[in-house]
Amino acid sequence: MTLKELAERLGLSPTTVSRALNGYPEVNAATRARVEQAAQQYGYVPSAMARRLATGRSMAIGHVIPLSEHQMINPIFAEFMAGASEIYSTEGYETILSAIPAEQEENAYRELARKRSVDGLIVHAPRLDDPRIDLLKELGLPFVVHGRAVNGEDPPVYLDINNRASFEQATEHLIGLGHRRFGLLNGMETISFARRRRRGFEQALERHGIELASARMVNLEMTETNAYNVTNRWLAEDAPPTAILTSSLISALGVERAVREAGLTIGHDVSLISHDDDLSFLRNVGDPPPFTTFRSSIGQAGATCARMLIDQLAGKPVESRIWTCEFIQGRSTGKAPA
């Protein structure tokens, strides 16, 4: 069905139908509802080109990914995009993914603004004093941040989880089980979530008067191999940690491998708590599940960020959100060994 045919069925002009479907405020609510209902009934879907012409928008959302030593194109980012893409497709938006060398990141944002290639962007992995925030405000590009910058005035709209509280609670849980020798396998601390997680970890230790050598707080790219190598080094010490916290379930697999190869048992000789991104390809399931975790859905985060940005583009009020992670008791924690 064409726009003209839909308009004829409704007894309205094609312009009115187009404006109703594209959210123009001058179309009253009753007419808009009638048009939307008819479009759904007759299976009318406006083409992307028609929507661009009708609205003057690109009908695209941008994601700029700087490629460097620590690449963001990984399974977790793919999970985020899977969630976001569901919302984009439902709302008629396309995705523009710009994977560029890190030194060209600023220029990539400027080019997107100059060419009007996107209506808005989602910013990933905010950093300390993140220069992208001021740049996007200067360019006038609407955006939502997945995460929170460590500091800065006039914060943008963001979606984040309470990283500090989760790691503080995880550490308190292990202390309650009698553990006093810890290791923290964190993500890169140039990114704000890792700084907050370390602070939660440190606050719990400070509260109980537990000191921790800096060697037992490691921040690296969250890979299985990095976690395996660091855990092997820790286990070779005279007084190895009896409890380890990781920032990713992928890292937790590396810890588990190192502990197993050392002839030890997770949950008995070494307790482990991980942040679990509830990945579709790596489920922590069972009764109880293998790992004790703080769970959050990265796919749901992608969908929520996409919805927040599209609402912002539609002129709707959008507020920042902080999610509390769910504590999942698994088999990877137990009382400290005697």
Side-chain angles (χ1 to χ4, degrees):
M1 172 175 283
T2 66
L3 177 69
K4 183 178 179 181
E5 290 170 338
L6 179 62
E8 288 174 351
R9 285 180 180 266
L10 290 166
L12 299 170
S13 71
T15 300
T16 299
V17 172
S18 175
R19 289 178 177 272
L21 290 172
N22 288 293
Y24 279 75
E26 58 264 33
V27 179
N28 65 58
T31 301
R32 181 179 296 108
R34 180 177 165 225
V35 171
E36 289 174 347
Q37 182 179 359
Q40 184 176 9
Q41 178 183 349
Y42 297 119
Y44 172 76
V45 179
S47 69
M49 180 61 71
R51 294 194 67 179
R52 293 187 185 104
L53 292 173
T55 63
R57 298 176 182 173
S58 68
M59 299 308 297
I61 303 297
H63 297 258
V64 175
I65 309 303
L67 301 181
S68 61
E69 181 183 356
H70 309 291
Q71 296 190 8
M72 269 194 60
I73 296 194
N74 56 35
I76 294 177
F77 176 71
E79 191 87 3
F80 180 96
M81 288 304 301
S85 295
E86 288 186 15
I87 303 300
Y88 296 156
S89 61
T90 299
E91 297 294 333
Y93 282 85
E94 297 177 351
T95 305
I96 292 184
L97 178 63
S98 301
I100 43 86
E103 62 273 14
Q104 296 179 18
E105 186 176 13
E106 178 180 337
N107 185 59
Y109 284 114
R110 292 190 180 280
E111 281 297 291
L112 288 172
R114 184 180 68 83
K115 296 178 180 178
R116 301 179 65 185
S117 304
V118 297
D119 295 321
L121 298 114
I122 292 180
V123 177
H124 300 271
R127 308 183 287 263
L128 177 66
D129 295 323
D130 199 320
R132 295 173 296 179
I133 307 302
D134 288 338
L135 174 62
L136 291 173
K137 289 178 179 178
E138 171 197 330
L139 296 173
L141 280 170
F143 65 100
V144 168
V145 183
H146 181 215
R148 284 174 289 168
V150 173
N151 52 25
E153 298 179 358
D154 189 23
V157 174
Y158 61 81
L159 170 69
D160 200 9
I161 59 175
N162 199 331
N163 289 287
R164 185 202 58 76
S166 292
F167 273 64
E168 183 176 12
Q169 185 179 343
T171 309
E172 286 282 358
H173 181 76
L174 291 165
I175 292 172
L177 292 171
H179 293 277
R180 293 297 182 272
R181 300 202 305 270
F182 288 86
L184 173 65
L185 270 165
N186 205 1
M188 298 300 300
E189 292 185 10
T190 53
I191 304 175
S192 64
F193 79 82
R195 288 174 176 258
R196 288 190 167 88
R197 291 178 183 182
R198 182 180 58 144
R199 187 56 190 146
F201 176 63
E202 290 174 331
Q203 285 178 326
L205 296 182
E206 290 168 1
R207 189 177 301 115
H208 293 271
I210 300 173
E211 296 183 1
L212 185 72
S214 59
R216 292 270 187 85
M217 288 191 291
V218 176
N219 67 100
L220 291 168
E221 189 76 8
M222 296 180 292
T223 68
E224 193 272 353
T225 301
N226 282 342
Y228 172 78
N229 291 335
V230 171
T231 305
N232 276 331
R233 187 174 74 239
W234 286 347
L235 294 177
E237 296 175 1
D238 291 336
T242 64
I244 296 174
L245 293 89
T246 71
S247 272
S248 165
L249 195 56
I250 296 172
S251 299
L253 295 176
V255 174
E256 193 275 336
R257 179 162 68 101
V259 170
R260 184 180 68 252
E261 291 181 2
L264 303 173
T265 304
I266 287 287
H268 179 70
D269 302 297
V270 178
S271 285
L272 171 64
I273 295 182
S274 177
H275 177 75
D276 168 28
D277 289 301
D278 193 20
L279 304 172
S280 61
F281 59 88
L282 188 61
R283 293 293 188 193
N284 180 43
V285 295
D287 188 19
F291 295 103
T292 299
T293 64
F294 277 84
R295 177 181 294 169
S296 69
S297 170
I298 193 71
Q300 186 59 42
T304 301
C305 283
R307 172 55 60 194
M308 291 168 71
L309 180 57
I310 289 171
D311 284 350
Q312 187 181 133
L313 294 173
K316 298 178 182 178
V318 179
E319 295 184 353
S320 296
R321 305 183 193 180
I322 300 176
W323 287 349
T324 299
C325 297
E326 179 186 7
F327 178 71
I328 304 296
Q329 179 67 62
R331 300 193 300 271
S332 65
T333 47
K335 291 185 179 180

